[in-house]
Amino acid sequence: MTTPCPYSSRHNGGATGAPAIELKQLTKVFPGSSTPVLNAIDLTVPAGTIFGILGPNGAGKTTIMSTLCGLLKPTSGSVHICGSNAQTERATIKQILGMVPQEPAIYPTLTARENLEYFGRMQGLSGEHLQKRILACLDVAEMAGEADKRVERLSGGYKRRLNMVIGLIHEPKILILDEPTVAIDPHSRSLIHHRLRELHAAGISILISTHQMDEAEQLCQEIAILDHGRVLVQGNVSDLLSMQASETVQLQIEGDPPADLTARLEHIPGLLEAHVAGQCLTVVTVRPDRVMIPLMQAMQDYGLAVRSLSFGTTSLEDVFLSHTDGKRASR
Amino acid sequence: MMDNLTKFWASIAKEARIIGRDHQALFLFFVMPVLFVLILSLALRDAFGDRPGATFDVLMVSQDPGEVTQSIVEAFRSNSHILLTQSNTASEAEARQWLIDGRYRFVVLVPPEATAQAERRLGEIMAKVPPELRMEKPVELVVMADPALRSDFRKVLEGSLDLALHGVEMKLGREQLQQTMRATQGENYVPLPDMEKSRLFEPVRGETVTREGSGPTPTSVQQNAPAWTLLAMFFLTVPLSVSFIREREQGSLFRLQTMTVPAWVVLGGKAVPYFVINLIQMASILAVSVYVLPLLGGDRLELGNAPLALLLIGGSASLAAIGFGIAVAMYARTTEQATSFSSATVMIMAALGGILVPKAVMPPLMQEVAILSPLSWGLDGFLDVFVRGGGVQQVLPEALSLLAFSAVCHGVAIMRYRSQT
């Protein structure tokens, strides 16, 4: 049973009227490389949303996060956080942002409370206010009982929770999380999701990078799919799902489909696109009603038994796969 | 500014907590250097300085009761460094075996009737018998030395022996002359004056010259205590740089870079606890050298009369070491790189700077090259105080050199840190 979130932001997420994060034509080329890691990215994270950045490894997610925090200088383009320029107003944006790195960035030989106290002081907190914030963060992480244990003796789940709440110690307007639930127990994962929703309800804008499609589907209102340093698609999650769903038919096939199956289906009138992932054949069409009969006939001709068929339903993974050539995704 | 000072103190407290909980590191920081100084000061006790306790076991085998044996015994006994054992029964083979067994470092075998043989030869010389017709050959003593005996000490022993034999020649010659004069001058004979009471030269007594007049000469502990203090200080660059790189690997440094924390707070917060550790190391090594070492049979460390100068040179050396460690940490990508680079560089600087091998025994060219090592500046500063009676003014050049080295290292480190954020 999760207790109510004791976090209440001193900020109102959308009070300034400016987007939480706005990237314009953001390009980053590392010295010695000719290929841009980020290639003219335009991205807008509306204030008060949970925004997911999805993308395979090497897509440029971490580079975007480092640029947002002011740790990397863009080659060209601009980054604005709540209307402040990330390059020229670094001190301001550092106060606005709360960063949660992928790996627990904490001191293992200090206790959870000492870690919170140290990073709190580094954020300029002190005295009674700091002590209140430490207690609030320990409550958010549900680890009041573990507060005085050294971090090295805590489980991976507790470390992840502590890692997250350190990012909240100074009550940021925007929380940035890099893969916050990788390799974590289900209880801690559920708690982190729950707390993120509560933080969102309290007015915090949240930017989360993740590989996990179900996580993005459950948490995010908006997503951007990134690959090879470009934004392939950006939009509201439910819009993207419904757009994809209205045009797709999915068939679960028994046994392994032949490698050239999609090529063999090209002659079916009205079929725009077909791709295979494992034993799942996904067909994109503007007229599913016309495609069904020749599609089933083709399955029979190729000796493939259809175990199940779904029509008009899809997941974020399908959206992701359809935009990234079906590569490198995990569920 | 107040905000940054608060962050600075919080960084110091955090680092002190982390170090305080690493018991193995504390053992290495404080116990190992002290043990090192104790062991080396005791082991090398007799290799330095002019100390009465530095003795060499010398065996003299003689069945000659005459002047030769007496003179050698007298000469050896007057030398406080020689611990003489006499035997009139041991054979040459036995003496050789005792030398090999390490019971004695130096053996002198006087042939039987050595004095009588010397007197007979003197008689022939006084009688102007041509050399080719003389019956008696010069008396030949057998002298054997331990190969581990330092060559300069061996020369001293051989010189003492030669001097004693010269004394015998003089004494026997004088007696022979007196006998001849008594025989030729009869009643007019006037005895020769006693030359031992009417020396032409004052006995040679070297004076040790220091800045404030006479003072103690460097002893083993005066070389070793500052030398190993400096080595311990500079070896702290290894854990210091590793601690930085570990923070980078753990991501906590990245997290700090996302906050409004100036570089000097991050680097200074790390440096101050290590500076305190260095000063505690220095105090403990000096305290052990003053109070514990004498109890174990070693020399007591003479600290001189300038505690402020000691603090100045120790503090400057520590800042130089810390600056070097932080600079290494900023450029090394892995802990392996930092560990191997800093330990190898410190060992080279130590070897060059007279820490491992005292500069006094280096050839002139190496002594000139030694000036390149910051450890050499530190050691010179300590020796200024311990041995040459120097004060703050005398250690100032070395302290300023160390502080300049520290400033360059810190500057390079801060520039690198800023370029990463």
Side-chain angles (χ1 to χ4, degrees), chain A residues 173-318:
Chain A
K173 267 186 180 178
I174 301 169
L175 188 63
I176 298 178
L177 302 103
D178 191 2
E179 305 274 1
T181 58
V182 169
I184 196 171
D185 64 277
H187 176 69
S188 293
R189 185 170 190 260
S190 164
L191 177 75
I192 287 176
H193 285 182
H194 184 70
R195 290 310 191 202
L196 289 176
R197 285 193 200 95
E198 288 179 329
L199 291 168
H200 168 244
I204 311 288
S205 305
I206 296 169
L207 177 70
I208 179 168
S209 110
T210 181
H211 271 108
Q212 301 176 76
M213 299 301 137
D214 58 336
E215 181 168 81
E217 205 170 323
Q218 288 168 30
L219 279 177
C220 303
Q221 285 99 50
E222 294 212 15
I223 60 153
I225 295 176
L226 208 69
D227 199 11
H228 295 107
R230 286 180 180 278
V231 176
L232 303 179
V233 64
Q234 179 185 349
N236 183 283
V237 172
S238 48
D239 290 348
L240 289 170
L241 288 175
S242 60
M243 194 190 335
Q244 183 89 354
S246 63
E247 298 170 345
T248 59
V249 177
Q250 279 189 343
L251 288 82
Q252 287 294 329
I253 299 163
E254 277 186 9
D256 292 327
D260 60 346
L261 178 61
T262 53
R264 292 187 193 180
L265 299 175
E266 279 176 0
H267 68 277
I268 298 175
L271 191 146
L272 298 177
E273 193 182 320
H275 52 85
V276 174
Q279 294 176 319
C280 177
L281 168 67
T282 304
V283 169
V284 181
T285 173
V286 286
R287 293 298 301 271
D289 52 331
R290 287 193 182 174
V291 164
M292 282 310 295
I293 292 170
L295 185 61
M296 294 308 286
Q297 184 62 52
M299 291 295 111
Q300 199 174 351
D301 292 347
Y302 303 138
L304 295 169
V306 176
R307 199 168 60 218
S308 69
L309 184 147
S310 57
F311 178 80
T313 60
T314 191
S315 66
L316 199 53
E317 184 164 359
D318 301 317

Side-chain angles (χ1 to χ4, degrees), chain A residues 71 105 107 109 114 122 163, chain B residues 7 21 247 254-255 257:
Chain A
L71 298 178
Y107 294 99
T109 53
E114 286 165 349
M122 292 300 107
N163 189 42
Chain B
K7 291 177 184 179
R21 286 173 188 171
E247 277 200 32
F254 167 80
R255 180 162 243 153
Q257 287 169 341

Side-chain angles (χ1 to χ4, degrees), chain A residues 71 90-91 94-95 99-101 104-110 114 118-119 121-124 150 163 166-167, chain B residues 3 6-8 10-11 14 17-18 21 247 250-252 254-261 265 420-421:
Chain A
L71 298 178
R90 286 172 68 175
K94 282 181 176 181
Q95 281 298 315
M99 177 70 194
V100 180
I106 38 188
Y107 294 99
T109 53
L110 298 185
E114 286 165 349
Y118 173 64
F119 286 112
R121 288 195 190 282
M122 292 300 107
Q123 290 284 21
R150 287 194 200 176
N163 189 42
I166 288 172
Chain B
D3 191 33
T6 310
K7 291 177 184 179
F8 182 52
S11 292
K14 176 266 296 177
R17 271 196 186 121
I18 290 173
R21 286 173 188 171
E247 277 200 32
Q250 284 165 355
S252 38
F254 167 80
R255 180 162 243 153
L256 288 175
Q257 287 169 341
T258 68
M259 301 174 177
T260 45
V261 184
V265 168
Q420 290 171 339
T421 56

Side-chain angles (χ1 to χ4, degrees), chain B residues 41-277:
Chain B
S41 295
L42 289 172
L44 299 173
R45 191 185 64 179
D46 298 343
F48 293 86
D50 175 27
R51 59 188 309 284
T55 54
F56 308 96
D57 286 306
V58 174
L59 172 67
M60 192 175 81
V61 181
S62 173
Q63 291 172 350
D64 169 56
E67 191 57 42
V68 173
T69 301
Q70 284 171 25
S71 290
I72 294 172
V73 168
E74 206 173 295
F76 280 180
R77 287 259 157 87
S78 69
N79 187 333
S80 60
H81 295 281
I82 295 171
L83 199 65
L84 184 67
T85 304
Q86 281 182 266
S87 166
N88 53 10
T89 54
S91 66
E92 184 179 335
E94 280 174 322
R96 191 177 290 274
Q97 189 56 49
W98 289 338
L99 196 75
I100 290 166
D101 294 344
R103 276 177 67 179
Y104 300 104
R105 315 286 302 274
F106 195 77
V107 172
V108 181
L109 288 117
V110 181
E113 296 196 8
T115 307
Q117 186 186 342
E119 283 172 339
R120 286 197 295 275
R121 182 164 170 82
L122 180 65
E124 287 179 343
I125 292 167
M126 296 296 278
K128 295 185 179 172
V129 177
E132 63 276 12
L133 297 177
R134 286 175 196 164
M135 300 291 287
E136 291 294 345
K137 291 179 180 169
V139 182
E140 195 175 352
L141 273 60
V142 177
V143 178
M144 296 180 281
D146 176 0
L149 184 64
R150 273 174 48 175
S151 61
D152 45 354
F153 292 149
R154 181 176 163 164
K155 290 271 184 241
V156 168
L157 288 168
E158 287 169 352
S160 296
L161 191 56
D162 248 346
L163 202 62
L165 295 176
H166 271 302
V168 173
E169 283 170 355
M170 291 288 288
K171 194 170 182 180
L172 293 180
R174 190 167 169 276
E175 282 172 6
Q176 191 85 22
L177 188 63
Q178 277 186 328
Q179 279 178 18
T180 309
M181 285 168 68
R182 198 181 291 125
T184 55
Q185 293 175 357
E187 288 179 359
N188 297 328
Y189 167 68
V190 180
L192 288 169
D194 186 350
M195 288 301 287
E196 283 188 15
K197 290 178 182 167
S198 315
R199 287 199 55 169
L200 303 181
F201 300 96
E202 283 293 332
V204 176
R205 293 275 185 276
E207 182 195 7
T208 305
V209 178
T210 64
R211 285 201 173 96
E212 294 177 359
S214 296
T217 52
T219 60
S220 163
V221 70
Q222 281 174 325
Q223 159 76 19
N224 282 317
W228 302 113
T229 300
L230 287 163
L231 193 66
M233 281 180 175
F234 272 79
F235 251 108
L236 221 61
T237 59
V238 177
L240 172 59
S241 55
V242 166
S243 140
F244 247 116
I245 292 165
R246 202 168 285 154
E247 277 200 32
R248 197 191 299 151
E249 287 172 350
Q250 284 165 355
S252 38
L253 205 58
F254 167 80
R255 180 162 243 153
L256 288 175
Q257 287 169 341
T258 68
M259 301 174 177
T260 45
V261 184
W264 71 266
V265 168
V266 177
L267 302 184
K270 188 73 83 176
V272 169
Y274 282 91
F275 179 73
V276 173
I277 289 172

